[in-house]
Amino acid sequence: MSKRIQAKHKLDRRMGQNIWGRPKSPVNRREYGPGQHGQRRKGKMSDFGTQLRAKQKLKGYYGNITEKQFRRYYAEAIRLRGDSSENLIGLLERRLDAVVYRSKFVATPFAARQFVNHGHIKVNGRRVNIPSYLVKPGDLIEVKEASRQLEIVVVASQLPERDVPDYIEVDHQKMTARVTRVPGLTEVPYPVQMEPNLVIEFYSR
């Protein structure tokens, strides 16, 4: 088992939730945390602990974004006009790897990052291999023609466990996708409750 898979499963168990909604999550069998103290009764969490947990969960969901990069998203979210927590979600959902994942071109956010890194994705006809590239509404995202018959792409597009959200138009015949608008928190199909307002509070301390 790779370190990445282990880390993914460990995060699920630490949070006590199936963060990605995957059928193989260990939380489906054991809802307590990992390690020898995982089954201990937990005391009441402090405000700081609650905020930290919310940050770890949201950061982990998008394939464990680095702390430096995640802090940059926070800085941009508070700079933009409007609700900072909604802005944060909008920025995260505009990441190229997030759009590839939402479009069901691959099965997980981790696979999406690797898929983009390896040069399988084009944006408006140009190859882009930067997972954090911010897609704008109207941009055309497509799987490179030579990559469309890869097993991970074919399998992912047929997964019954999640649907493509309304703010993305996808053609799985042509393997193309287009973000129609920047989504709000209530539109994003998270399998568990995300609390970006607590993330904003964490960084605003």
Side-chain angles (χ1 to χ4, degrees):
M1 187 182 286
S2 73
K3 285 182 180 178
R4 181 163 282 187
I5 293 293
Q6 284 179 323
K8 185 165 60 174
H9 288 172
K10 194 172 180 180
L11 182 65
D12 264 5
R13 289 191 64 199
R14 189 167 75 230
M15 296 296 162
Q17 295 176 299
N18 185 353
I19 292 175
W20 295 278
R22 298 307 310 277
K24 291 183 179 178
S25 171
V27 175
N28 297 339
R29 299 187 302 275
R30 300 184 295 273
E31 291 192 352
Y32 50 86
Q36 67 184 88
H37 304 300
Q39 296 185 65
R40 278 187 177 177
R41 183 179 295 173
K42 294 179 176 64
K44 189 173 184 299
M45 196 175 286
S46 66
D47 287 346
F48 173 80
T50 305
Q51 293 163 0
L52 177 63
R53 191 180 178 89
K55 186 202 76 164
Q56 289 172 332
K57 185 162 62 171
L58 188 62
K59 190 156 73 93
Y61 178 85
Y62 287 93
N64 278 339
I65 298 170
T66 65
E67 180 61 27
K68 184 178 179 182
Q69 198 168 42
F70 202 66
R71 188 177 280 276
R72 279 208 301 266
Y73 286 125
Y74 157 75
E76 180 65 11
I78 61 171
R79 191 188 67 80
L80 294 170
R81 293 173 65 178
D83 186 311
S84 296
S85 57
E86 292 281 344
N87 292 341
L88 178 61
I89 295 300
L91 287 166
L92 291 170
E93 282 295 305
R94 283 173 53 206
R95 283 176 59 98
L96 180 56
D97 56 356
V99 175
V100 167
Y101 170 63
R102 292 280 180 232
S103 303
K104 291 180 71 172
F105 293 154
V106 291
T108 69
F110 296 88
R113 179 181 294 179
Q114 192 174 45
F115 198 66
V116 175
N117 258 331
H118 289 181
H120 297 293
I121 293 293
K122 288 181 177 181
V123 179
N124 297 329
R126 296 178 63 183
R127 188 169 69 94
V128 178
N129 61 359
I130 303 166
S132 60
Y133 176 89
L134 285 184
V135 173
K136 295 189 289 290
D139 283 352
L140 181 68
I141 294 92
E142 60 183 316
V143 177
K144 208 170 60 174
E145 194 164 350
S147 308
R148 292 175 189 175
Q149 296 309 311
L150 291 173
E151 186 181 358
I152 60 166
V153 176
V154 175
V155 170
S157 64
Q158 297 168 358
L159 282 175
E161 63 201 50
R162 62 188 174 91
D163 297 319
V164 176
D166 291 341
Y167 51 89
I168 297 179
E169 291 178 350
V170 176
D171 184 335
H172 280 127
Q173 295 293 321
K174 296 179 181 177
M175 283 294 165
T176 61
R178 201 183 295 271
V179 176
T180 57
R181 65 182 185 280
V182 179
L185 175 60
T186 56
E187 296 180 278
V188 181
Y190 293 119
V192 297
Q193 184 183 4
M194 292 295 181
E195 298 163 301
N197 57 309
L198 295 180
V199 179
I200 298 296
E201 288 174 16
F202 175 86
Y203 285 118
S204 300
R205 284 174 298 112

